[in-house]
Amino acid sequence: MSETPDSASPRTRWAELVGDDGGADYERRIQQVLDLTSAAGGNPHGEAELVVSLLPEGGRVLDAGCGTGRVAVRLAELGHPVVGVDADLSMLRVAADRNPRIPFWLSDLADLDVPQGIIGAGFDVVLLAGNVIPLLAPGTLDQVVRNLAGVLKPDGVLVAGFGLDHEHLPAGVEPTPLSDYDRACAAAGLELSERRGTWEGGDFTGGSYAVSLHRHAAKAPSPLGRLRSLLHR
């Protein structure tokens, strides 16, 4: 993992809520939720299953804001190359203990200070699960989305799921409107291709949680390209 993020960088809302040593406690709490979900017949791996459905053969995943590695570890178990990035060192320590073979990198998404050797040719899916978007540092949404779009392959997909009201967010966290997120994506050259109501599927119909899939916007042909197209008709 890289060095600790610059202390002058704005702190994420997550860091303001839990401090810098909440990883182990978070892991205990999320495991309790997952156990209850499984006991009730729910699917604790909905995020990973959606990602797998979007991946080409051999496709790579960036789990952005990976926390304690729950989704990244599941993807690795299913045989998919994955890199995890998070700004919380205590979370990454838990993640690395769970699977030391996964590259987990310490960086704020607003900086995305990840070596080019890890980024490589880019990622087929960039995942933002677990309310990453509303827990970003204030004022960094545009930069985060721009950074993530920059490591997304030309035919890749940015997938983000987050709560849209206070009931589906930690106490004290203000919701991020979908319109703000879509605007940030558009500014980064991404367009909405699908919006679901849950990780398992179903169209979004204005509920309190949304899973959004954005892809690189199709580029308009250049004047020379249009001329060539006309000449070959």
Side-chain angles (χ1 to χ4, degrees):
M1 290 182 291
S2 69
E3 297 298 320
T4 304
D6 188 346
S7 60
S9 300
R11 283 168 64 83
T12 65
R13 292 182 177 94
W14 174 256
E16 295 292 347
L17 286 172
V18 304
D20 298 318
D21 195 27
D25 180 62
Y26 173 83
E27 177 65 9
R28 284 191 295 270
R29 289 188 286 110
I30 197 65
Q31 191 58 53
Q32 290 174 351
V33 172
L34 295 175
D35 290 344
L36 289 172
T37 299
S38 297
N43 182 6
H45 298 300
E47 302 100 323
E49 291 182 3
L50 173 57
V51 169
V52 169
S53 74
L54 297 169
L55 283 174
E57 184 176 356
R60 301 175 68 231
V61 181
L62 176 64
D63 188 355
C66 64
T68 56
R70 176 178 62 87
V71 181
V73 168
R74 179 59 176 167
L75 289 169
E77 289 173 349
L78 296 172
H80 300 286
V82 59
V83 174
V85 178
D86 202 280
D88 188 324
L89 180 58
S90 70
M91 299 280 237
L92 291 180
R93 284 172 174 154
V94 175
D97 284 344
R98 295 181 67 177
N99 189 330
R101 295 181 298 278
I102 298 174
F104 288 111
W105 203 261
L106 179 67
S107 177
D108 193 299
L109 297 180
D111 303 320
L112 203 60
D113 185 17
V114 178
Q116 185 59 45
I118 290 180
I119 295 172
F123 298 93
D124 299 277
V125 175
V126 174
L127 175 67
L128 291 157
N131 285 321
V132 171
I133 291 297
L135 290 170
L136 295 172
T140 64
L141 175 61
D142 286 5
Q143 183 62 48
V144 167
V145 175
R146 189 158 52 245
N147 288 344
L148 297 178
V151 299
L152 190 65
K153 287 185 177 180
D155 56 351
V157 56
L158 174 66
V159 183
F162 52 93
L164 303 174
D165 59 15
H166 292 97
E167 183 179 350
H168 290 80
L169 296 172
V173 175
E174 289 300 314
T176 298
L178 285 175
S179 57
D180 285 1
Y181 178 63
D182 287 343
R183 177 195 50 75
C185 287
L190 303 175
E191 60 184 8
L192 183 67
S193 64
E194 184 180 354
R195 179 158 284 146
R196 303 180 174 202
T198 69
W199 290 100
E200 289 74 23
D203 292 338
F204 176 74
T205 57
S208 54
Y209 192 90
V211 179
S212 304
L213 284 67
H214 285 78
R215 298 179 183 272
H216 288 290
K219 293 183 179 179
S222 66
L224 180 58
R226 288 196 296 268
L227 177 59
R228 286 174 176 167
S229 177
L230 290 171
L231 291 174
H232 285 84
R233 285 184 178 177

